Amino acid sequence: MEAEFTPIFAVDSYKTSHKWQYPDGTTHVSSYIEARADKSGLAVPGVVVFGLQAYLRRLAAAPITAALIEQARTLFAAHGVPFYEQGWREILDDHGGRLPVEIRAVAEGSVVPIGNALLQVVNTDPRAFWLTSYLETSLLRALWYPSSVATVSWAVRRLLRQAWIETSDAPEESLDFKLHDFGARGASSGESAALGGMAHLVNFKGTDTVEALLAAARFYDEPMAGFSIPAAEHSTITSWGRAGEAEAYANMLRQFGGPGRVVAVVSDSYDIFHAVESLWGGTLRQQVLDMGGTLVIRPDSGDPVAVVAEVLKLAAKAFGTERNQKGYHVLSPAVRVIQGDGITPPTIAAILTRMRQDGFAVDNIAFGMGGALLQKIDRDTFSWAMKASAIQCDGQWRAVFKDPITDQGKGSKQGRLALRRSPDGFWETVAAESCPEEANLLRPTFRDGEMLTSTPFSEIRARVRAALQESPPPLY
């Protein structure tokens, strides 16, 4: 996240020529961002809006300089595209290098139904009408990725919450650690890991993505957004040799066990079922019980649904269970299970269904999610787009839009826009002139290089949880 950022280079090359493509007399261009369609297969009631503040803080801290303008002039000339040097020098000379735009956005953490305007941007200096669209590359990228990760993570929380409602007596806060971020190594970059990992943390508190913690502190003033525990990997277990498997496990208990402590041990290096039944549930059973903490057994191969089902049965046989008030089995507090291999929202749903069928409460399990959380998404997952919807030319605003006959799904909205909620809570995008300012949920967040609002991470989390309470139960 420490890589140098400047909007002058965070752009698609072809946009450098767009200043000369607008009609004569153009003074303002207004554009918006929306998620146009849910192609995720998750059937979510909306997208979780998140990540804008991280972008705006970087934007506010990166004014344009004479050196950047000179670098851009040289680079774009060699690249083969025109560069509007005069426009950038006007920004430098007349605005101190601060971008003359206003950005309005819905509050972060809001869960807004697909097809609504989530952000609107317009230039504030009539000479900089070209700047609105110039920002599309960086602004859309800043919103679609973290919002998509937050939405996938939120969808999993919906699944887990429904399982909790049906099978658990534990406090709802127990869900905070039911989905752990394992995705750092599978992310495309450190920045992706930081932004995506931080987006996951608006829904949960479990993560192994350290860069996400730094991002939450830097951009959202959250001193510690997530937590983890000591855990084994295959190298630390197999280094003891197959004959030393039990001793490797015993060492984990000695090193990290204790009253109130939690330690996770990957147990499928050789035979997961033998490990649960004969080692954890036999040779080491008393040591597990005596340590006073919780052993989390981690399978890491095979069919996730079948393996988890068998591991739970073996752990129940070895350590016993209690039946809760809803009639479901809960393992001894000394042992739990985490599944981190092959985890996607559909496999989580399948595992939860099988657990319910087998009579096990959701209390018994947590999930680790890697590539499917931070990497198996793209801009098309929710069909994110930024489009111009209004232009002021010769002093008059007029609507602009696209309506391709070859793909009605790519049609765009018209005019200056507002987002509001009806008295019954229905979200709708309407013409700005028809919506009183106090009812418009697209609130000013950035103007002329300065941030106008700053939202703490705790407030975003609270907003996401409130939306979860309002959402219909998922199908799983």
Side-chain angles (χ1 to χ4, degrees), residues 372-390:
L373 181 63
L374 300 189
Q375 200 65 29
K376 289 185 179 178
I377 55 171
D378 55 34
R379 188 166 67 90
D380 291 333
T381 303
F382 297 103
S383 190
W384 290 88
M386 176 170 158
K387 298 297 176 186
S389 61

Side-chain angles (χ1 to χ4, degrees), residues 185-205:
R185 72 188 61 183
S188 58
S189 67
E191 184 177 37
S192 294
L195 292 174
M198 177 174 60
H200 163 71
L201 289 171
V202 306
N203 301 293
F204 295 93
K205 294 183 179 180

Side-chain angles (χ1 to χ4, degrees), residues 9 43 99 119 161 169 203 340 361 392 395 442 457:
F9 295 123
L99 300 190
L119 177 150
R161 184 172 185 272
D169 294 339
N203 301 293
Q392 189 178 51
L442 298 181
F457 208 67

Side-chain angles (χ1 to χ4, degrees), residues 434-451:
S434 70
C435 182
E437 177 64 22
E438 62 271 15
N440 187 358
L441 298 176
L442 298 181
R443 304 284 168 77
T445 59
F446 182 91
R447 185 184 297 121
D448 297 336
E450 295 185 1
M451 293 185 63

